[in-house]
Amino acid sequence: MARVISVVQCVGKKRETAQKARNLYTSPLFMAASAYAEKISDEWYIISAKYGLVIPSEFIEPYDVTLKTMSALERKIWAERVFSGLKPLLNTHDTVVFLAGVIYRENLVKKVKEFGCKVEIPMEGLRIGEQVSWLQGQLKNY
């Protein structure tokens, strides 16, 4: 049976102590994206610049790493690591919803499609403030 799997990007704004990953990130964008992912998904995961694929209930330490400062090669290696963690969690015909910016999904979307999953990027082309507004609007419908 096809499922909906959401992938939420990490953000820079974090709590100062180790937390469950779902509670570590404190930006309005992450909070809205994770709430939306919980509503629409059978499962959801966080993609972290430092830790790769993270289960929301996993305890992780705060960090200061972003893909924005990585080279193209480093981002490709990171995406390979993320996909190797994600692949065993997917079934062909699942829908993977990326709630992540271009730089976080650029090397993942093709791999997910080639695996046989449908990909949705509902906030593609929206700026951060527009993404928060879109997510908040969607959450009002649930």
Side-chain angles (χ1 to χ4, degrees), residues 41-90:
S41 310
D42 296 294
E43 298 171 23
W44 69 281
Y45 302 96
I46 299 163
I47 49 175
S48 159
K50 179 174 182 177
Y51 297 108
L53 188 74
V54 179
I55 298 166
S57 60
E58 186 178 337
F59 271 81
I60 58 174
E61 296 281 339
Y63 58 93
D64 187 20
V65 178
T66 177
L67 293 187
K68 293 173 186 153
T69 59
M70 292 183 188
S71 69
L73 178 59
E74 289 171 321
R75 291 193 309 269
K76 282 185 177 180
I77 292 168
W78 173 85
E80 287 290 340
R81 184 167 59 115
V82 169
F83 187 67
S84 70
L86 185 60
K87 187 176 176 181
L89 305 171
L90 298 175

Side-chain angles (χ1 to χ4, degrees), residues 6 8 22 28-41 44 99 135-136 138-139 142:
S6 289
V8 179
R22 70 171 6 112
L29 177 59
F30 180 84
M31 294 172 77
S34 60
Y36 178 70
E38 286 185 3
K39 298 281 187 209
I40 67 156
S41 310
W44 69 281
L99 303 171
L135 288 162
Q136 290 171 341
Q138 295 299 308
L139 288 167
Y142 284 94

Side-chain angles (χ1 to χ4, degrees), residues 4-31:
V4 174
I5 309 295
S6 289
V7 177
V8 179
Q9 169 189 323
C10 69
V11 294
K13 196 171 178 188
K14 301 172 189 71
R15 298 186 195 282
E16 295 181 9
T17 58
Q19 307 276 330
K20 286 184 179 180
R22 70 171 6 112
N23 300 326
L24 180 68
Y25 307 98
T26 60
S27 78
L29 177 59
F30 180 84
M31 294 172 77

Side-chain angles (χ1 to χ4, degrees), residues 77-109:
I77 292 168
W78 173 85
E80 287 290 340
R81 184 167 59 115
V82 169
F83 187 67
S84 70
L86 185 60
K87 187 176 176 181
L89 305 171
L90 298 175
N91 299 315
T92 55
H93 308 300
D94 284 347
T95 297
V96 178
V97 179
F98 281 93
L99 303 171
V102 172
I103 204 163
Y104 279 79
R105 66 177 192 262
E106 68 183 344
N107 295 305
L108 290 170
V109 169

